[in-house]
Amino acid sequence: MAYADDARKEVAVARWLTEETSQLLVRSSSISPSSVDGRVVTFWKSISDKEDYGTPIEVGRLLSRLHAMEAPTDLRLPPLRPFARAERRIAENDWFSPEDSAFMRAQLVKLQEDYAALAFG
C-alpha cells in the first residue's frame, strides 16, 4: 500500500497521455488503482489484440512527441527520481540473504552515482 499514491499518479498520467495521443501502446482502463491482498494493483487494457510493436523509428517519433508535451499542472508531477522505490524495496524484502542485500545496496549506490553524473540536454 506504500505505492498507492504512485499508482494513482500513474493512472492519471496514462489517462492524460491517452487523451493527447492515440499512438500510445496501452490505454488505461476505467478502473482506478485497487488494493488486493494489501498490494496496490492497476488494470491496463491493450489497444490492440495483437502483439504489434512499433519500429525503432516509430518509437523514436512517439518519444520525441511525448517529451515535447507539457503535463497539465493539476497532475503535479514531481521531478524524475528513477531509483525512488529501489531503496525501500531492497530494505523491505524478506528473501535476500544479508550478502545479497548488501550487494543490491552497493549496486544501487553505483547506479545513483552514475545517474547523477549524466548530463541531460
Side-chain angles (χ1 to χ4, degrees), residues 14-65:
R15 286 187 177 134
W16 163 61
L17 291 173
T18 298
E19 291 169 7
E20 291 295 320
T21 178
S22 62
Q23 294 183 33
L24 289 177
L25 301 177
V26 295
R27 181 174 296 174
S28 66
S29 72
S30 60
I31 301 172
S32 294
S34 302
S35 172
V36 176
D37 293 332
R39 297 189 181 271
V40 176
V41 296
T42 55
F43 298 91
W44 302 89
K45 179 181 177 186
S46 175
I47 60 172
S48 172
D49 290 334
K50 302 177 204 167
E51 287 190 23
D52 291 335
Y53 300 99
T55 66
I57 291 172
E58 291 168 330
V59 172
R61 287 181 181 144
L62 177 59
L63 287 173
S64 179
R65 284 183 55 207

Side-chain angles (χ1 to χ4, degrees), residues 9 36-37 42 48 52-53 56 66 69 73 93 95 109 112-113:
K9 181 79 65 179
V36 176
D37 293 332
T42 55
S48 172
D52 291 335
Y53 300 99
L66 290 174
M69 296 169 64
T73 55
N93 103 44
W95 64 89
V109 167
Q112 289 169 324
E113 290 169 351

Side-chain angles (χ1 to χ4, degrees), residues 90 97-109:
I90 293 169
S97 69
E99 295 80 15
D100 288 343
S101 187
F103 173 79
M104 295 295 284
R105 283 192 303 275
Q107 289 300 110
L108 177 58
V109 167

Side-chain angles (χ1 to χ4, degrees), residues 110-121:
K110 181 177 179 347
L111 287 170
Q112 289 169 324
E113 290 169 351
D114 290 349
Y115 183 80
L118 292 175
F120 294 97

